[in-house]
Amino acid sequence: MEEQIEIDDSLYSRQRYVLGDSAMLRMAKSNVFLSGLGGLGVEIAKNIVLAGVKSLTLHDVKSATRMDLSANFFLTEDSVTKSINRATACCSRVAELNPYVTVRASTETLDEATDLVFLKEFECVVLTEVSLNLQVKINAFCRSQNPPIKFISSDVFGVFSCVFCDFGDEFEVVDPNGEEPIESYVGKITKGNPGVVEVQGDSRHGLENGNVVTFREIFGMDALNGTRHSVIVLSPTKFSIGDISSEAYKPYTHGGIVQQVKVPIKKAFQPLKEQLKDPTLMEVDFAKLGAPLNIHVALQALHHFIQLHKRFPAVRDEQDCKVMTSIAKDVAASLKHPIEINEKLVRDLSFTASGLLAPVATAIGGIVAQEALKAVTGKFTPLSQWLLLDSRELLVGQDKLESSQFQPRGDRYDALRICLGSDIVEKLANQKLFMVGCGAIGCEMLKNYAMLGIGRGPDGKIIITDNDIIEKSNLNRQFLFRSHHIQQSKSIIAAASTRDINPDLKIEPQEYKVGPLTASTVYTDEFFRSKSIMVNALDNVEARRYMDSRCVSNQRPLLESGTMGTKGHVQVIVPHLTESYSSQQDPPEREVPYCTLKSFPASIEHTIQWARDKFETLFAQKPIMYNKFWEQNGQPSKVAKMDKTMPPENVVKVVKFLTTRPKDWAECVSLARIKFEKYYNHKAKSLLHAFPLNHKLENGSPFWQTPKRPPTPLNFDLKNDLHFGFILSTAKLYSSICGLRVSEEDYKFDKIASILSTVKVPEFRPSSKPIITDESVKAPPVMEVSKDDVEQSFSTLLAFTKETTVAQDYLKLQALEFEKDDDTNGHIDFITAASNLRAEMYSIETADRYKTKRIAGKIVPAIATTTAAVAGLVTIELIKVVMELPLESYRNAFMTLALPALVFSEPAPPEKTVISGSFTCTIWDKWEVRGNPTFKLGDFMQKVKEMYKMDVSMIVQGVKMVYIPAMPAHRKRVSKLMTELVKMQAGVSYVDLTVTFVNPNAGEDDIAGPIIRYYL
């Protein structure tokens, strides 16, 4: 009998949203073999184990050396001193990353004489630090098996790297990109051969040629419903679907949804032996066209050199370089399509091959691990078939340096020194780095900083801050944390774990939030200016923009990066060289119209948002309002005697809840039952009363047509699991806010059924409230209560206080704060039940708890592989910033590991604003004006004109308008003191002012100048 595997959602929740349960389950049954536990191998191992395969076998025959400490973060000085085998030394450290994965160490010889039959137990084999001949042999063995064992080989030499994949002749990809299937509302279908579909309104269908689609809810041409068709795109809003000209297809009338169907595809691979001669290469950097093929040739030459000499080329050795170049020419000539080699590239490889740049290993390790997960799951499109990268920008200018700069010195930084030289190693050591955020990317960054020795020098230091604590769901990606760290500070544990990797580091953890509240106390301008480099490890746009603005105003470089699922980005921001993070902004997300959420949901996302809003209203906002009311107004007896003509705010709502609030579990259940009737029966009846099923619009078309869906009133059935789930979850939350003691016995079906048998449910009465149908209308303002309602509330309250002695705790509710990751609090249970009932009422496909949690909790899908790849790439850019390289040396990056796609581009320079003639400025320019305590606004404006030859047209400080001449009152401000008009922070002698200038070209818009820093 096949073993049943349960997915631990508390650990894997973010990754499940990337891979899906089918892939997760396939992965949990897979065994992977990994050879070579150097810097690259340990990175691959970390990511594969975090993902959750069944087992990982770590193979290595080498003992730990001090140079290994440059990139292997699980080796220690003790491993080196005792010459422990690298696989043995790393095994327990890798295993503790995930209790669900079996990790074994193997130290058996693996060479060209080895019988490879032992590999049959694995679904995927990953090789690093293996000779090219042995790679070819193992690849051939893997291909000979049925089914083929998926084969991956990868290496990092200095600043060069390669990845090769071979998954056999017919590898099935069950989901090429991992994206949700595209859905669009149908606006029109033209009968014919081919038939043409046009989507509704100005929306775009987003389909590509060859996509397969299906239809549902089509009226008129209902023969299309449930059928599949291949698409040919005609325009962003139209596509054809083949022959629909027969009598079976009646004329289209209205409605319908077209949905993309995910169809598995087959991928064919060639063996390594063939690919060495005629490689299939992935181009990633259009500034380096042709580089991948040259790297391919150079790496083969390196393998041949090692095979001939049983060693790497010596560091910066000219003779070895000549030998390498000669071999490379022979390799290039033997290709199916011979090329002229790039001798400078071969030289760079020869000089640095025995070194290893840790962030390159980090980036490649993330990519390789993702390919291994593809191999065992069929999820996402595999690499076809080579990825070859270099970071040769880091080697610019090295020919002018002495060879001694690069020679090993017997310490843990030798692999880095071979690549970059001692001067850069020391420069990295003396960086004053500030990083905001210690989550997934933050952990990966810190690991890289430990490997590079950043902040260990006499003038160096790393400061990190994060005000969050560690949760179990973090452990799947944030590898510096373990289960015994849960509920502890992220920054403190991250700092301690980083020092465990490299005890040389000087790192200070803080727990403050970076933002306006700490700008004048902790993270002041002086703080920013005292740092040499800033790093974002953040998960929201608002915080990124804030950090960006502070770095721009203080002229500090910023490294920005982020991930979402298999997507990731890297942006390097350098004062006066590049644009800033805020220079480009994504378009705002389109808001769901109020009427859609309120009355006309069309998708499960709408019903989930409605349920999430209900949670907030019922269990957070109302309790807060209730508590505030009694705190401000005193006892009910006192309120009952107040002047009715001047009632306190929210008296009607508060009195209603005071007199009806549940006093025991039975009343919680009763209230939940009444809510059910209101939301899922009466609401539907109200809509159908106002808009019957045959209701027509003014143009004669049906009111109820896509995307509007007519509701069906739900009749309560306690035996329906969804109905019971709503009652139970709602009653639980009411008991929570009311502070009632409830036992497990109360949750039982029979107990709830007994209570419900006595509940009197109000009958439906049509409402006179208008129903908004216009999608452009925002939420209406809260209606003022009538005089009669106020009178009734006071009468009710007076009677209530006469009959009841109100205890103080009765005037207090426990407002709930939504928490998606606590499965015991019932929050997601309520939202799931409430959403799915609404979905049933509107004939919308329901969503399971897992999907509901993602949407309601706005969970960002995440996986360790993308995080590692992004962190590695952004750390390479950090080194370039430290080296102060020119603009053309930097690379922004965008990746989608699912496809896979990786694109490098040179950062854009800052946009120049023409002030007048040849006088320009950018966001990085900062003008200064120095005044004194008697300086008036007019003096400031005159000073600006004298210094910059421009007339001021407007002055703003933050969101405060200091001077707008169009406003009559502002003209009088010209004679006022600057100290009266601008707000100075305590202890700060300046303010930053946004100033615009009169355009010398009459009739044209005013000119936005740079920030002017005004010193008092």
Side-chain angles (χ1 to χ4, degrees), residues 28-326:
K29 298 174 184 177
S30 300
N31 304 292
V32 178
F33 177 85
L34 169 64
S35 182
L37 266 293
L40 175 60
V42 75
E43 185 67 45
I44 297 168
K46 166 182 68 75
N47 295 322
I48 288 176
V49 168
L50 286 172
V53 296
K54 180 180 181 180
S55 76
L56 175 66
T57 297
L58 306 175
H59 169 265
D60 208 316
V61 295
K62 298 177 183 177
S63 297
T65 67
R66 186 148 281 106
M67 190 177 286
D68 286 321
L69 299 180
S70 293
N72 188 316
F73 44 87
F74 281 154
L75 293 178
T76 63
E77 285 286 348
D78 188 61
S79 310
V80 175
T81 304
K82 295 179 180 178
S83 296
I84 301 174
N85 175 277
R86 295 189 302 183
T88 303
C90 293
C91 187
S92 62
R93 300 290 303 278
V94 173
E96 68 182 15
L97 292 171
N98 193 333
Y100 296 105
V101 179
T102 301
V103 182
R104 306 181 183 91
S106 169
T107 60
E108 299 296 319
T109 299
L110 179 61
D111 57 25
E112 293 181 48
T114 303
D115 186 347
L116 300 179
V117 69
F118 75 94
L119 292 176
K120 288 185 176 183
E121 66 182 89
F122 302 102
E123 282 74 35
C124 180
V125 168
V126 183
L127 304 181
T128 70
E129 302 184 19
V130 171
S131 72
L132 192 56
N133 288 345
L134 185 54
Q135 288 181 43
V136 171
K137 178 182 176 180
I138 293 175
N139 175 242
F141 176 83
C142 290
R143 288 183 66 87
S144 70
Q145 303 306 301
N146 188 18
I149 301 168
K150 315 308 178 290
F151 174 89
I152 303 171
S153 65
S154 182
D155 274 304
V156 175
F157 300 107
V159 298
F160 295 83
S161 57
C162 67
V163 185
F164 172 78
C165 293
D166 176 10
F167 296 171
D169 293 328
E170 286 192 328
F171 179 74
E172 183 176 76
V173 181
V174 296
D175 183 354
N177 60 20
E179 301 290 341
E180 289 288 325
I182 297 167
E183 271 195 2
S184 298
Y185 297 122
V186 175
K188 182 181 178 182
I189 302 177
T190 304
K191 183 174 179 178
N193 183 13
V196 175
V197 179
E198 186 172 351
V199 295
Q200 209 174 83
D202 58 356
S203 60
R204 297 177 170 227
H205 52 67
L207 297 168
E208 297 177 359
N209 287 334
N211 283 166
V212 176
V213 297
T214 187
F215 296 86
R216 67 179 190 272
E217 301 177 26
I218 299 285
F219 286 84
M221 197 180 287
D222 53 7
L224 271 180
N225 290 327
T227 61
R228 291 188 176 191
H229 303 264
S230 185
V231 163
I232 296 177
V233 174
L234 303 177
S235 76
T237 59
K238 295 180 181 180
F239 57 89
S240 66
I241 55 171
D243 187 1
I244 54 169
S245 61
S246 71
E247 288 299 318
Y249 297 99
K250 305 301 181 187
Y252 170 81
T253 58
H254 68 273
I257 296 172
V258 58
Q259 182 181 45
Q260 180 189 16
V261 178
K262 288 293 186 78
V263 179
I265 61 173
K266 293 288 181 71
K267 299 288 287 187
F269 293 80
Q270 292 181 332
L272 177 59
K273 188 174 182 179
E274 292 180 19
Q275 280 284 303
L276 289 173
K277 298 291 185 184
D278 187 17
T280 305
L281 304 170
M282 180 177 171
E283 289 280 359
V284 297
D285 189 340
F286 295 112
K288 297 180 178 180
L289 289 175
L293 187 54
N294 272 284
I295 297 170
H296 180 73
V297 168
L299 290 177
Q300 285 192 63
L302 176 63
H303 277 288
H304 290 315
F305 182 99
I306 295 170
Q307 185 178 3
L308 285 170
H309 300 279
K310 311 303 180 188
R311 63 173 176 83
F312 281 95
V315 177
R316 307 192 81 76
D317 185 281
E318 293 290 351
Q319 186 57 42
D320 283 354
C321 179
K322 288 179 181 178
V323 175
M324 272 274 291
T325 303
S326 176

Side-chain angles (χ1 to χ4, degrees), residues 315-344:
V315 177
R316 307 192 81 76
D317 185 281
E318 293 290 351
Q319 186 57 42
D320 283 354
C321 179
K322 288 179 181 178
V323 175
M324 272 274 291
T325 303
S326 176
I327 297 172
K329 289 178 179 178
D330 292 340
V331 172
S334 70
L335 295 178
K336 184 176 181 180
H337 305 286
I339 63 167
E340 291 289 326
I341 68 166
N342 181 333
E343 293 194 22
K344 180 64 170 67

